[in-house]
Amino acid sequence: MRIDKVVIPVAGMGTRLLPATKSQPKEMLPIARKPVVQYVVEEMVDQGLKNILFITGKDKRSIEDHFDRDPELTQRLSEAQDLEHMEEIDYESEGVRFFYTRQMIASGSRLPSGLGEAIASAEQFVGDEPFVVGLGDTIIQSSNYSGLVRRMIKSHQRYGASATIAVCEVAEDEVQHYGVVKPKGRGKTDFEIDDIVEKPSVDEAPSRLAVAARYVFNPEIFAAIKRTPPGIGGELQLTDAIRNLMKMGHTVRCIRLRRDERRYDIGSPESYFKAFIDFALSDQKYGYLIRQYIEQRLREI
Ligand code: UTP
């Protein structure tokens, strides 16, 4: 079955980036020239995925505005013959369709409580089709366009998995920030897993392969989410639901990021600053000047 639906969760609180995220979504923070979530949308569209559902929440309106048609701006850019910017905001001619739904909030709670809960909100949109999930706060960058999600879809269909997850190797002291997988066998580039653990300690981590913000799921994931109680931080963890999916007898596989692919999760101030610097340095027009500026500043400090 052809996969053309993408779910982009953007309903999180972004508390680690306060006060920048007090009244604006973390996913709208710019990394060099674009908001983070625009990179995610462009990645999906480049891979032929054109039906995009955002799972939104409180204070996330600017995401809807950002991807909405803006005839006035288009007119102004057209008059100024600014084709570059026109192309960048023109999703309509590419046949991209955006949908929005709010994350369901569990009764008795006032706040969004977990990625598993966010994905559960996509059930109606998805129906009985497999779908892709791309976290709205994480950019996958590569030197040449590498087609990570396309590779994931290909493997997902080839092996008949219920879930296929992107993973990348992280330093030992970073495993505690991510979901970490336990490969069956050596875990080279495309492999099945035995287990997955959310934010393990260094001693408990089954490997150094951390989940890298891109997933392909069959609709079975919704049944697994329903069987999953709140986990770490009182949140319904998607990682725990994937674990339940395996317990229900389903196959879960992983695709490892290639050497030329890099994951930028902008969730903490440190990772946000690093992402901004890297993207500014690789800017075609200003990268060289920024490099000179940084070198000069480092000599002065
Ligand atoms: P994070 O795990 O970084 O959580 O979300 P967060 O709530 O945004 O940030 P902190 O921990 O408070 O600083 C990863 C992605 O999943 C979405 C977020 O919007 C982000 O894009 N998410 C997270 C949801 O859509 N709903 C949730 O309940 C949690």
Side-chain angles (χ1 to χ4, degrees):
M1 187 185 275
R2 198 177 125 72
I3 300 181
D4 70 354
K5 289 182 177 168
V6 186
V7 175
I8 304 185
V10 291
M13 303 285 288
T15 40
R16 286 168 295 160
L17 290 178
L18 280 168
T21 49
K22 182 167 180 290
S23 63
Q24 67 168 333
K26 127 172 106 170
E27 296 80 6
M28 284 300 291
L29 293 178
I31 295 292
R33 290 176 184 248
K34 300 176 214 174
V36 177
V37 69
Q38 187 170 337
Y39 290 94
V40 182
V41 166
E42 287 176 1
E43 176 194 342
M44 298 301 161
V45 173
D46 278 347
Q47 306 200 30
L49 298 156
K50 298 192 174 171
N51 288 312
I52 300 179
L53 173 73
F54 290 99
I55 309 293
T56 72
K58 191 174 159 290
D59 296 331
K60 301 283 178 169
R61 266 289 299 280
S62 58
I63 297 177
E64 295 182 39
D65 291 340
H66 187 74
F67 291 104
D68 205 4
R69 279 185 65 232
D70 188 337
E72 222 177 276
L73 177 61
T74 310
Q75 168 88 22
R76 262 191 287 137
L77 293 174
S78 157
E79 279 163 14
Q81 299 201 338
D82 186 345
L83 294 180
E84 196 188 325
H85 284 123
M86 258 174 84
E87 271 171 25
E88 275 197 316
I89 60 162
D90 182 13
Y91 295 101
E92 209 179 11
S93 69
E94 294 202 53
V96 183
R97 295 197 302 164
F98 296 108
F99 303 85
Y100 300 89
T101 191
R102 284 218 166 201
Q103 178 163 337
M104 291 178 282
I105 307 283
S107 63
S109 168
R110 287 191 5 251
L111 303 173
S113 49
L115 194 51
E117 192 183 78
I119 302 306
S121 308
E123 188 169 6
Q124 261 203 331
F125 169 80
V126 163
D128 57 3
E129 296 172 30
F131 62 104
V132 170
V133 171
L135 300 195
D137 69 344
T138 303
I139 302 170
I140 301 288
Q141 192 215 32
S142 63
S143 45
N144 270 321
Y145 207 72
S146 65
L148 169 66
V149 172
R150 241 193 325 255
R151 291 202 314 276
M152 293 171 70
I153 291 176
K154 218 166 151 188
S155 161
H156 189 79
Q157 292 173 328
R158 179 168 176 205
Y159 293 102
S162 276
T164 302
I165 308 168
V167 292
C168 62
E169 193 165 306
V170 295
E172 198 175 72
D173 59 353
E174 280 183 31
V175 286
Q176 58 198 313
H177 302 301
Y178 299 101
V180 177
V181 302
K182 178 174 178 221
K184 254 187 188 173
R186 291 184 57 203
K188 283 189 141 182
T189 51
D190 182 347
F191 53 91
E192 192 176 342
I193 59 170
D194 272 329
D195 202 3
I196 181 165
V197 192
E198 182 64 19
K199 300 189 173 66
S201 65
V202 174
D203 298 335
E204 284 163 353
S207 74
R208 282 170 42 202
L209 294 173
V211 174
R214 302 291 181 266
Y215 310 78
V216 182
F217 287 120
N218 285 0
E220 293 97 74
I221 190 64
F222 298 115
I225 292 173
K226 283 175 195 146
R227 291 181 185 199
T228 306
I232 291 180
E235 297 195 347
L236 203 172
Q237 301 288 348
L238 185 58
T239 304
D240 296 343
I242 296 172
R243 205 174 198 196
N244 276 339
L245 193 65
M246 279 185 273
K247 282 192 193 146
M248 289 158 65
H250 295 287
T251 303
V252 177
R253 297 184 63 88
C254 291
I255 294 286
R256 200 170 167 146
L257 263 61
R258 291 196 319 214
R259 228 173 269 169
D260 64 333
E261 291 166 336
R262 191 163 171 169
R263 181 259 311 268
Y264 288 94
D265 155 7
I266 62 112
S268 73
E270 182 185 345
S271 61
Y272 176 67
F273 297 157
K274 284 180 177 167
F276 199 106
I277 291 171
D278 277 11
F279 278 79
L281 283 172
S282 59
D283 188 272
Q284 277 197 347
K285 189 166 174 192
Y286 296 104
Y288 177 68
L289 294 172
I290 299 300
R291 182 177 304 276
Q292 282 186 327
Y293 176 72
I294 291 176
E295 281 170 359
Q296 181 200 330
R297 290 294 292 135
L298 289 175
R299 279 195 298 271
E300 286 166 8
I301 301 171

